[in-house]
Every structure is written in structure tokens, then in C-alpha cells.
Amino acid sequence: MPRVCVIGSGIAGLAAARAVLASKHEVVVFERYGKLGGCWNPEVVYPGATTQDPGEVYVFSEFAPLEKWDPFPTAPQIYSYLLAYAKNYDLIKHIRFNTEVTGVQAAGDGPENGWIVNVKAADGKTSTEKFDFLMVCTGTFSSPNIPDIPGAAEFRASGGVLLHTSELAQKMPDISAGVAGRTVVVLGFGKSALDVATMAATAGTAKSVKLVHRSLWWCMPKKILSLIPFPSLFLSRFGYLLLPSPYEGTLARILRFLLTPLTWFAFRAMEQAITAQQGLRRLGMVPPGPLNITGVTCLGAQVEPDGFYNALHRKVLSHKQASIIGLGPKRVDFDDGTSMSTDTLILGTGYKWPNLPFLPPSVREQVLDQEGGLRLHRKVIPINVPNLAFIGYASSLATLFTNEMSARYAAAYLDGRVRPARSQMEALLKVEREHAKRWYQDPHIRRELDGPCVAPYQVSFVDEMCREMGVRRKVGGIIGFVRDWMDPWDARFYKDCK
């Protein structure tokens, strides 16, 4: 019976452990923190965080929420859900908390003989264990992206507060109290930056709050025109048919071509509706990219935090499109030659990926391409390295489910039920790269699609994994078929795709 090492107990690690145990293999999960949950771990997640994905799609296919939760669930709700999932499938006894993986080496003459895993416990004791298969589940939210801004030490020495959003849980657990009486700058335009800027501004305790951002992305209102929930328009199988996919067949390509006028009209109409609803022209914040290109990717698919644009219109929150090039004594300098006084800078600059410091350089070289993208078949299996899989690199608008399917695919690979030829993997990777190059011009978006993002084609991504595993989703008759195509994507239809 193969012995499997899983690194991380977030969404990906829990799904991986569940899939391995369902395949009747032995599993050990190493978790560096004292609690499971990954980015939803209460020790890590910033105060006030919610999902960016609707609760109806932010679930595992075989485990429904145990309680009625918010339309966009809160961090405590998600943590409770993950904890209940782990208890339900008896995963916790397989997790070694407060144990960090410090290094991995191939056993014997190479990874075909398994892996030697070095770990360090909280008390500093180190140990080494042998495994037959390695699943890397550290995902894309484990290493904060903290830019090296000149003058940071001088800024702190003057009494300035400089924090990444990942540090707020420990150093500013109450944002309202933390920003009281302070002049706050929040850097970034991703989810954490928008959330923190909105909370700081609407708390009413800060002297001022300014959002500084380099790029502009579409922020989807939770209800378009305050009437239509955006999942009803964006997250159905029919909705995804309007978007290009690297996996689409001839029939799908023909249908998408025939629907091109509808696609153009629908997205332009939504752009106008969102622009009017949020008052983007008055704010000078109309994004330059079309909604059906930039607004459906992991980087550009933002959901408007409650009160964000309202705070901008009420002028309790201001914004500036610029880059920060330096800091001084309670001062921030911008690339347009201007400066402003501030005593608090919060970095909503996301996370670095891939974060694989424990892998030996020889393995990293084979897993990564020259641009830092991941060379993974189905975002899971490295082309050149045996007995290794990556779970957590299939980010989408239904991340729990796409990573659950990645874990099942990895388990099928471990069992030998899926064994794609190297030529097949190389060919598919080439198709995916060419697709990203053709449809997405922004280099940041293209890098995400070359890496861990499948959001624009998440339906066909999962369908293709199921097809390769030789299983099919079960929609349940005519009514189920209609729901499958027109309702927001339902993970439960894939419960038996293992």
C-alpha cells in the first residue's frame, strides 16, 4: 500500500487526504500551523474576510454546508465547514499540526523510488520520513508577496505602521480600532486590498483612507442593477459556453461562433449596466479591458465588497492610480512624482506563487518553465517527475470543487487509473499556452493562466478530467439537465466523478 505525504491542510490538502484515503492508501498530512484551513485558518485570515465566490458554488461536491450560511460566506463559516469536512471523513488524525516540511529529496536514484521528507516540529526537533508519493498542497496563498519598497525601515522608524494583509489577524485583529486616528494607505486592487480599504473607510475611525492601485479591474456587483445575482449570469454551463476554452471540441467551437453576436451584446450591456450602477465614470475608474476577457479570470474577477463604491462616492475613501516607489518618515512617494503623508501602509499585494522552497532545485527546474509558470498536466501532474502531484493550482470561481477534482485526479494517477503519455501531456500543455497567448494580452493574466488559474474555462476543465478518468457527472433527468445548463454550476452533479 503506497504511503502518501500531503504538504498542507488547507482546501487542497484536505481534499487530497480525502481522495487518498478513499483509494485505501496511507496518508500523512504535514501542517505548519496549529489549525487546518490554509488561507481560512483563523490564525492567518484577515478580519472581516469573506469568500469571493458565491456560497452555492464554494463547496465540495460530496459535502453540503451543515448550516445556512451567507450568500458570500464569512471566514468563520468557511473554517467551520472545512473543520466539519475533516471530521466527517476522519482526516484530523492523519494531520501533524505545527510541523513544517523543510526539505524534500528523491529517494535512492530518483523520485521513481519515492521521497525523503524532512520536517521540523514546533519544539525544533527534526525528523525524516520516507514516502512513496508526494502531494504538494501549499497552493497559491502560502507566501505573502511583500514588495521591497525603498525606505521601509525609515518609515517604520518614524512610527509608521507597515503591514501585509496576511499579518492583520495577529497585529491588527480589529481594523476599526487599528486605524483609529490614522492616515491610511492601502496598496493593491485585489480582493484583500478592496476588503481592507472598505472596512477601514466605513469604520469611520481613521483620519483618511486612500486606495493606491496600479491596475483597474472590473468589480462585479453581487446583484447587477441591484436585481440579478451575478452567478445567474456568469456561473452557468451556458454562460461558460460563451467563453473560449482550450478544451472545446468542434461542436462547442461552432456554437460559440454562432453565439458571437449574443456574447458581444450581452457583455457590452453588462459593462454599461455595471458602469452606471457603480458610477465608474464619475470616479474615473472604468477598467480598460473588456469584461469577457479580463473580468472572468482569477486576477480580474473581483466581486465588489459591500459599500466599496459607495464609500468612494461619499468621499470617505479616495483612490489614486499609481505605483509606490519609495517611503520616508511617515511619507509615501509615487511614480508620478507626488508624495503624501501617511502613518499606516497596508499591503494588499497578494501572494507569491509557486512557493516551493522545500523542493530540490533539480525538481523545481523540471516543474517550472522560464517564465515561472507550472508545467503541469491538468494543473496536477508534472510532465517530467514521477510520484509527484500538485493540488491547489486550479483556482477558479468554485475553488473548493476544482481542487477537489484535482485531488481525485491525482488519486487516480496514483492508482494507475490515469496514465497519460508524456507526448499527450506535452501536447495539451502547448494547447493551453497557445490559448492563453491568443485570448489574453495582459501579461499578468496570461501568467496566471499559464499557472494556477482555470476560471475562464473551469467547466470544461473539470469535464475533461472526468472524461480522462472514465467517469461522468450525473444530472438526474430532464430537470437536472436544464438546471445543469442554466443554473449556477452545481458541484453535486460531480459527486460520483472519482
Side-chain angles (χ1 to χ4, degrees), residues 78-98:
I78 294 297
Y79 176 73
S80 296
Y81 175 72
L82 295 176
L83 185 61
Y85 177 85
K87 290 179 178 178
N88 186 73
Y89 294 110
D90 203 19
L91 305 181
I92 294 179
K93 69 181 183 182
H94 299 278
I95 304 174
R96 298 185 190 174
F97 292 104
N98 296 306

Side-chain angles (χ1 to χ4, degrees), residues 250-420:
T250 301
L251 178 60
R253 193 176 296 112
I254 291 173
L255 283 173
R256 185 170 55 78
F257 175 77
L258 294 175
L259 292 170
T260 298
L262 172 63
T263 303
W264 186 91
F265 175 80
F267 278 99
R268 300 297 81 75
M270 279 190 282
E271 289 171 1
Q272 293 302 313
I274 293 168
T275 298
Q277 179 178 343
Q278 296 173 337
L280 298 183
R281 287 195 175 87
R282 295 197 305 275
L283 294 171
M285 296 181 72
V286 179
L291 182 61
N292 55 310
I293 297 296
T294 62
V296 296
T297 66
C298 299
L299 183 63
Q302 307 294 338
V303 175
E304 177 191 352
D306 292 336
F308 171 62
Y309 286 109
N310 181 264
L312 286 164
H313 284 294
R314 291 192 296 117
K315 301 188 186 306
V316 297
L317 173 64
S318 62
H319 82 100
K320 180 181 181 69
Q321 190 165 1
S323 294
I324 293 177
I325 60 171
L327 298 171
K330 294 189 178 181
R331 187 190 75 242
V332 60
D333 302 324
F334 302 109
D335 60 353
D336 61 1
T338 63
S339 300
M340 70 168 284
S341 298
T342 181
D343 53 21
T344 305
L345 174 58
I346 299 175
L347 305 174
T349 46
Y351 291 77
K352 295 181 290 186
W353 60 264
N355 178 40
L356 309 170
F358 44 80
L359 289 182
S362 59
V363 174
R364 288 203 299 269
E365 289 172 3
Q366 296 182 72
V367 170
L368 303 177
D369 61 21
Q370 293 180 345
E371 287 76 37
L374 292 159
R375 291 175 46 81
L376 302 177
H377 178 65
R378 306 285 185 207
K379 309 290 186 182
V380 177
I381 305 300
I383 294 175
N384 300 319
V385 185
N387 295 323
L388 176 63
F390 292 78
I391 322 296
Y393 290 88
S395 297
S396 68
L397 299 180
T399 295
L400 267 75
F401 173 56
T402 48
N403 284 315
E404 178 187 33
M405 291 304 301
S406 296
R408 292 176 180 175
Y409 186 85
Y413 177 78
L414 170 62
D415 290 343
R417 292 183 286 124
V418 170
R419 285 296 181 187

Side-chain angles (χ1 to χ4, degrees), residues 445-495:
I445 290 177
R446 189 183 300 168
R447 182 172 183 267
E448 280 220 331
L449 293 173
D450 284 346
C453 181
V454 299
Y457 47 84
Q458 62 191 42
V459 172
S460 57
F461 171 79
V462 169
D463 286 349
E464 282 295 299
M465 280 200 291
C466 289
R467 181 192 59 76
E468 195 173 334
M469 288 189 289
V471 293
R472 299 182 64 180
R473 70 187 189 281
K474 296 179 180 179
V475 299
I478 298 298
I479 294 177
F481 177 82
V482 173
R483 286 189 56 230
D484 182 40
W485 275 90
M486 305 309 296
D487 285 355
W489 203 32
D490 195 332
R492 291 173 296 178
F493 289 157
Y494 294 83
K495 183 170 68 171

